[in-house]
Amino acid sequence: AQTNSSRRPKEERRVRANDREYNEKFQYASNCIMTSKYNIITFLPVNLFEQFQEVANTYFLFLLILQLIPQISSLSWFTTIVPLALVLSITAVKDATDDYFRHKSDNQVNNRQSQVLIRGSLQNEKWMNVRVGDIIKLENNQFVAADLLLLSSSEPHGLCYIETAELDGETNMKVRQSVSVTSELGDPNNLASFDGEVVCEPPNNKLDRFCGTLYWRDKKYTLTNQNMLLRGCVLRNTEACYGLVIFAGPDTKLMQNSGRTKFKRTSIDRLMNTLVLWIFGFLVCMGVILAVGNAVWEREVGSLFQSYLPWDPPVDNFLFSAFLSFWSYVIILNTVVPISLYVSVEVIRLGHSYFINWDQQMFCSQCNTAAEARTTTLNEELGQVEYIFSDKTGTLTQNIMSFNKCSINGQTYGEVTDPLGPQPKRLDFTPFNPLADPDFCFYDDTLLESVKVGDLHTHEFFRLLSLCHTVMSEEKSEGELVYKAQSPDEGALVTAARNFGFVFRSRTPGTITTIEMGRPVTYTLLAILDFNNIRKRMSVIVRNPEGKIRLYCKGADTVLLERLHPCNHELMNITSDHLNEYAADGLRTLALAYRDLSEDEWEAWSASHRCADKATDCREDRLAAAYEQIEQDMMLLGATAIEDKLQEGVPETIAVLSLANIKIWVLTGDKQETAVNIGYSCKMLTDDMTEVFIISGHTVQSVRQELRSEHVNGTGGGEGKQLQCPPPPPPPPPPPPSNLMDNISGEFALIINGHSLAHALEADMETEFVSTACACKAVICCRVTPLQKAQVVELIKKHKKAVTLAIGDGANDVSMIKSAHIGVGISGQEGIQAVLASDYSFSQFRFLQRLLLVHGRWSYLRMCRFLCYFFYKNFAFTMVHFWFGFFCGFSAQTVYDQYFITLYNIVYTSLPVLAMGIFDQDVPDQRSLEYPKLYEPGQLNLLFNKKEFFICIAQGIYTSVVLFFVPYAVLSDATQSNGVPLADYQTFAVTTATALVIVVSVQITLDTGFWTVINHVFVWGSLGSYFTIMFALHSQTLFRIFPNQFHFVGSAQSTLLQPVVWLTIALATAICIVPVLAFRFLKLDLKPQLSDTVRYTQLVRQKKRKPGRLGARGGSRRSGYAFAHQEGFGELITSGKNMRLSSLALATFASRHSSSWIDTLRRKKHTHAHTPPTGAETAVKITYY
Amino acid sequence: MMASSYNAKDEDGHITVSGPGGGTLRSKKPENTAFKQQRLPAWQPILTAGTVLPAFFIIGLIFIPIGIGLYVTSNNIKEFEVTLYDMSGPHQNPFRNCNNVFMYYGLSNFYQNHRRYVKSRDDSQLNGDLESLMKPSKECEPYAYHENKPIAPCGAIANSMFNDTLELFYNDPNGTKIQIPMTATGIAWWTDKHVKFRNPTDNANLTAVFQGTTKPVNWRRPVYELDTDPQNNGFINEDFIVWMRTAALPTFRKLYRIIPKKNSMVPTLLRGNYTLEVVYNYPVRSFEGRKRMILSTISWMGGKNPFLGIAYITVGSVCFFLGVVLLIIHHKYGNRNNSADIAN
């Protein structure tokens, strides 16, 4: 084995149970995990090394090294090292805190207790001490400590149930089963002697795959993922189980999946990087110009001046001098790209993130969740979003279904009679039915009356609802029933029946027990004719206590109404009208019917059914044919209407967002009908749309043709292809195909199916698809896989160069959330996977409008204003050196005192602009929501782009010219009032620096639009700190201590006491600011932006324009039938595999697979494109459990 | 200059009050503080015609009178400049007033602001530090040591000190030349004289103090022989201090002497012809420099400075003119900020 392992260490892993010595030979990783990056000793070197991998930091380090060369050093080393040290230490502190918390959680996880079987007895061990090859015992609701091979469990057949929410985000339970030979081992005594050896694949990150072999007692057993319990799962509904540790610690699939998440950058970031590169180019140009100047000067003037100022020793000619001068100028001009830029940007973003976290109006009190900015670096991009990709279930809808209306025997119930009248009273079922669910809401008491008087149709209606389903019930205590429904629609229907006196109580594989009007009745369940997407219906065949056999069927009206007995014709018409009404209200409908079967009919069908069931080939087709055969000549009972409850404020949010010119695409795994229904109810689709295109072709050609025809011809979209979709809207003005303009001016919507999308996304068709889709007002993609969701997002990113936002709540949205520029997770019921992958999370879709229109808009505005000002102030500051170069022999002499250069960016001018970047508001938040058009400048990238950048730079350069030449002109001949000339270097430096600080302060007061206390404190404080620090640095005290460091002693006082100096500063300020003021005023006066106007009139209450449309009811959509669940559960129930006697197990029906049918289920899932995310797509973030 | 409106924002109606009824579950509801909800009271200035246009007029109205005042003051200052190439000839005295007259020397094309020049000094030595006196800073190279002796004062600045002597004589009509008395003190910054520059010890015998050092290469005399007055000798010699305060620009002037006023009745310099005698030590031709001598009087705002006045008048007029132009533009084309413009 030794040679084996050393020869093929990567290809396989051998683990022998209960044999630590053997396993230690392979040096497998222990179960101790370490996600922290540093310890106390390595922190400094490792962290510094990481930080210097940032280009900016390395650049400044390079500058620092340059400054240490005396011939080049035009500035003291501390002008660079102080800001650099500040930046490095801020980052280091942040990293250290992060790592501290990682250490803490590592410790917490590593010290969890688990029971390990050591020498035949169970001992408590810390998780970190668990070794590969140990057998550990898990109890109910415990986290799995490592990747285990399930050996045995307390449940029959070695089954156990796990929840994998932490791992892949799926909240439903999954079943795992041990290999049959080990499941018999049972108790610890037997397990202690278990010495099987597992040979399996090396550690990898595939969550849904495992392959290995167990060798035990000279036999081979194949191991699959079905036998594995992965770290991160939670054991549910299983008293205890034993497992053999195969992968531990860092080798576990959870940890293998915890890769670094892709770092997202905003477009401003990218623009900023480009601009910084340009500035570097500019810097080099200036350096070259000045170096050439230096060469000329040294040749023409400097060489003659050598008697007074000889060249430094290594310099022997003017060219070498010019070369050194180039580097010297690179040093002093580097402040055009200040190191503090990146830090300030991060600080501002962090501030914005906190504002998002703190926003009360994005707090959901029901779920006690506040909005959270999980990524702090994307805020301003929220102000530029053009496309939103939204999931449907759980995002637009609450995923709560409520029984809303029904039609029984031609009579409709549940209609709220008078919408203007008093709020109808909610029915109280408890006096009538002690088993009623108190949360059930229904308002129409005529239905209850009808039940009470014993109307036969009504009774049969609810009996059907209580029998024809695949719901499991759990009775926690007497009378307290909990239903576990596979789809929320079914749950709603069974709950409705329960409240109206037909209580589904419990089921066994062969029986269903109900309580009908207080009387227990047990039906024999003869067959479940399960649901699938083609059949769009399900039936049960039951024998009632009287011995009569009846088939109950519920399904989509389109399929069910075709299969009725002809005598139902009249009822069918009435019910059909009702169904149309329900559908128009956006409800999900089902039609219900029954059929009495004679004993002979049943026997005959039963035989053919058995035959079909046993068939090995085409089993499904045969079964479908058998089902088809018996679901005929049924009697119509009525129809139900279920409301797929939208989340609060969804239509309003969508309306506001589309007014803000944001295009919303719904990408859902749901069926087309459901998706279209939701599209209507959230007002994405409206009846006054010119055309709703539906693309559902199965082949490349058909999809292409559909796309083309719709692209070219507005009406030609093809009624032929519309399955159950809207008949053309009432009067479609049929535009001739040639009249393209007409088509474009209309409003279109596109609905595309998953299988068509697959073709549309192919390389040769994608441009066509994008152009068609983008011409449409609404796009709905249904039946899409998680991968396709991501592909659609990538497509738009690629072709539209627009900022995209993806919002979703489930694990199937993770890929989309990760590939969009911004991912938003709804923290709902569907686990935390989406939230973990997201950049922002909150609990209600409607918060999106606040996130984008208020926070995003502000962030963008603030960031743009910040950047403009920042580049301006640094150019104004730095370019003065350039002009001075022409007067000081291009010697790289600075204009200012070196301390001023050090502190300018980090003290004198940093806080006011930070305050503006964090707090500025142009219009209040209510106005942003009121006028969604205010969002447009962000989408068009108007506030900070290359043009704006050049304007800032130009303004900065202009300011620097004024700041240099005005003091130059004034001071060159001026004297103090005691006759001493003012043109000495130090006076000049102090005058220019003071003028600069004042000019940029005045400029920030002009730029700041929202003066909070903090802005005042920062602006005045910065000015104050400038004078204070300057007087301190020029004081005698400091000079006496360090005479060589503080040359400027007395300059501040001597300079600032001179009226001429103040007159100079005032003059320079006026010359700098007056043109800006005039320009801004003209812009505001002649071409005011919307925000300016809103700001101006914000006190004038603007009557909000309401979209005064009535909920148009066209009756044009139909068949959003309430059957959104997967098939397979009928089989599950009848197979009895999931039937357990303990009440514990009744709760766990969720997905109790046994190996015989799990494959069927999976196969079906695949065929219906319900593929769950595979391990490869699902990168799991580390979470501690 | 801007419209101010303190805007105490009204509370939004739909902020639910989180009562204590939450039970054991701690509410994660963010605090309702003005800061966290971004509702701090704030001043929101807007640039409107009502604020900007008056601002322009006010700037104009303030700047123009200041400019006129400055211009008139500057014009009243008498300044006389002579280039020190030809030392010939008596000059007419333009000065009439009774105040001090300041004598400057000016140099052109002399780069006192060159980086290597500016840093070539040892402030520690000049501040009287004995250690630095014997071990001048490396910044002074190549003027730190001469013949293995430390140079005091070291560095290129000190080495290139201006050492011409200028003397002014009144040509009495009866033919005699009367030397005009001039003071050589009070020409440097107070802080320079009393703080920044100090002799190594207070010992009166500077010769002993500077024992072991050598004079700068270009100097004729050592530093302790600059003046006979012990308060103006050594490092605290004001001519030296003035030279050491480097100029910002390559053309500069430095205060050389003050001709003190006699009394308020007699002009400081009598009407007549004067002769300037220059002891020409300082070579400037090599670097194409130029030497000047300037005599000037002083007002509250310093010496003659016509630029400032003209600039103020110009800027003030431009502001006023801009105000008028903007007013016209505003009236003709201006947007009235009508709220009806808000398109949704």
Side-chain angles (χ1 to χ4, degrees), chain B residues 180-307:
Chain B
I180 305 292
M182 299 191 283
T183 55
T185 53
I187 56 174
W189 286 20
W190 186 90
T191 41
D192 285 357
K193 172 94 179 172
H194 296 97
V195 180
K196 204 172 178 181
F197 290 83
R198 281 195 309 191
N199 280 324
T201 56
D202 292 333
N203 193 334
N205 188 358
L206 285 178
T207 319
V209 172
F210 285 98
Q211 190 69 44
T213 65
T214 181
K215 67 177 176 61
V217 205
N218 285 9
W219 285 21
R220 287 154 193 257
R221 283 172 298 174
V223 68
Y224 46 85
E225 285 172 17
L226 286 175
D227 201 335
T228 46
D229 177 7
Q231 289 311 308
N232 196 27
N233 199 10
F235 289 155
I236 55 170
N237 177 272
E238 292 199 22
D239 284 332
F240 174 63
I241 294 174
V242 164
W243 181 256
M244 292 304 285
R245 177 153 290 277
T246 52
L249 300 162
T251 298
F252 59 87
R253 58 161 95 167
K254 284 178 184 288
L255 189 52
Y256 183 63
R257 293 290 181 266
I258 300 172
I259 307 169
K261 61 178 178 183
K262 291 169 177 132
N263 57 54
S264 51
M265 302 308 292
V266 188
T268 313
L269 289 177
L270 294 167
R271 168 167 238 173
N273 286 338
Y274 290 82
T275 304
L276 179 68
E277 283 194 9
V278 181
V279 181
Y280 200 99
N281 295 325
Y282 201 69
V284 291
R285 280 173 197 271
S286 65
F287 57 93
E288 291 165 2
R290 202 161 57 89
K291 278 192 278 192
R292 291 164 299 149
M293 190 283 299
I294 303 115
L295 286 172
S296 175
T297 55
I298 289 291
S299 72
W300 60 271
M301 52 157 286
K304 197 177 182 68
N305 196 355
F307 173 81

Side-chain angles (χ1 to χ4, degrees), chain A residues 297-298 308 310 358 360 368 862 887 891 921 975 979 983-986 1011 1047 1060 1063 1084-1085 1095-1096, chain B residues 26 28 30 37-38 43 45 47 104 113 115-116 123 196 245-246 248 250 283 287 301 303 312 330 335 337:
Chain A
W297 187 87
E298 290 290 356
Y308 291 125
W358 284 335
Q360 275 200 319
N368 195 22
R862 290 163 178 173
F887 297 89
S891 61
Q921 301 181 8
T975 65
D984 67 290
Y985 169 71
Q986 296 189 342
W1011 282 81
H1047 310 295
V1060 175
L1063 287 170
L1084 215 63
D1085 204 45
R1095 190 175 160 87
Y1096 187 74
Chain B
R26 200 174 63 86
K28 289 179 194 152
Q37 301 308 318
Q38 305 194 59
W43 173 52
L47 296 179
Y104 302 89
N113 59 1
R115 178 168 59 86
R116 281 185 283 121
D123 276 326
K196 204 172 178 181
R245 177 153 290 277
T246 52
F287 57 93
M301 52 157 286
Y312 262 84
H330 176 67
N335 185 291
N337 276 317

Side-chain angles (χ1 to χ4, degrees), chain A residues 20-50:
Chain A
R20 280 198 173 183
E21 285 87 57
Y22 175 79
N23 295 322
E24 263 160 25
K25 284 191 295 192
F26 303 102
Q27 297 182 326
Y28 294 134
S30 82
N31 203 32
C32 179
I33 56 159
M34 202 173 72
T35 55
S36 55
K37 283 197 280 189
Y38 322 106
N39 60 38
I40 290 174
I41 299 153
T42 60
F43 176 74
L44 212 59
V46 175
N47 185 261
L48 282 181
F49 177 72
E50 280 178 358

Side-chain angles (χ1 to χ4, degrees), chain A residues 478-497:
Chain A
E478 183 63 34
E480 196 193 330
L481 283 169
V482 177
Y483 291 145
K484 300 276 182 168
Q486 213 277 317
S487 78
D489 306 76
E490 276 212 315
L493 291 175
V494 179
T495 307

Side-chain angles (χ1 to χ4, degrees), chain A residues 88 220 295 301 321 353 367 415 472 493 520 605 678-679 726 760 767 797 858 969 1022 1024 1078 1147 1179:
Chain A
L88 291 180
K220 268 173 77 173
V301 182
S321 160
S353 305
C367 26
E415 204 75 53
M472 305 290 290
L493 291 175
W605 182 79
I678 290 300
T767 43
K797 273 169 82 176
W858 275 346
S1022 291

